[in-house]
Amino acid sequence: MLKQPDGISIFNYCFALGVSEVFFLSSFYLSILDVSLFAIALPFSALFLIFSLYLFLRTHKSVKNLPNQEERRREIHAFYHQSIGIFTIIFSVLLFTALAYIPLMENGGHFYLLYCLPMALLCLIPSIISYKGMKLFKLETDRNLTKI
């Protein structure tokens, strides 16, 4: 079984996310070259994206179980703030890619449509969790600004 991460950082899941994006971009390159191998790169991209989502959820679970949450509030808030940005950007890219490939269905667009829509919806899960975590672990400066 994998050990729970000690540090609360986006680097817990970013390597797998980066590998996923390398496979995704290489599939674009292969489809531009009109090589049919682009369809092989997409499942690997999906596999690494799902693994990075698992690593994100594992880090989220370890944040919820921390005994000293108040002392590490700034670090937890930064983790959720960075995560919402990363996963929202990936959601947007995957959604717009799926929509852009709808007219190109005969040229392999159905592969991108079948890959991008489910993966975009999966990227909504950490975005929503990050939004809720950001609201839960608001920084003290945010609270003082509303009182002024």
Side-chain angles (χ1 to χ4, degrees), residues 6-130:
D6 294 329
I8 301 165
S9 174
I10 62 169
F11 298 114
N12 294 339
Y13 65 85
C14 271
F15 180 74
L17 196 60
V19 172
S20 168
E21 297 309 313
V22 166
F23 277 113
F24 185 62
L25 293 175
S26 67
S27 74
F28 273 133
Y29 181 70
L30 291 173
S31 70
I32 289 171
L33 292 177
D34 201 25
V35 178
S36 60
L37 291 176
F38 75 92
I40 295 174
L42 287 175
F44 288 110
S45 177
L47 177 73
F48 280 103
L49 182 64
I50 290 171
F51 184 64
S52 74
L53 292 176
Y54 165 73
L55 292 175
F56 169 80
L57 292 173
R58 193 179 76 168
T59 306
H60 169 68
K61 183 179 175 185
S62 70
V63 166
K64 286 177 29 177
N65 296 334
L66 275 178
N68 54 354
Q69 289 180 350
E70 290 300 320
E71 297 170 4
R72 300 178 77 180
R73 182 176 285 276
R74 182 171 297 277
E75 184 182 359
I76 294 170
H77 181 78
F79 168 73
Y80 285 127
H81 190 267
Q82 293 164 350
S83 296
I84 194 170
I86 289 171
F87 283 109
T88 303
I89 289 171
I90 293 173
F91 166 75
S92 302
V93 167
L94 290 173
L95 184 66
F96 290 135
T97 302
L99 294 176
Y101 269 92
I102 287 176
L104 303 171
M105 291 299 259
E106 67 276 351
N107 294 336
H110 59 282
F111 287 113
Y112 285 103
L113 190 65
L114 290 174
Y115 165 74
C116 290
L117 283 179
M119 291 300 121
L121 292 177
L122 276 179
C123 284
L124 271 180
I125 294 169
S127 295
I128 292 169
I129 290 172
S130 296

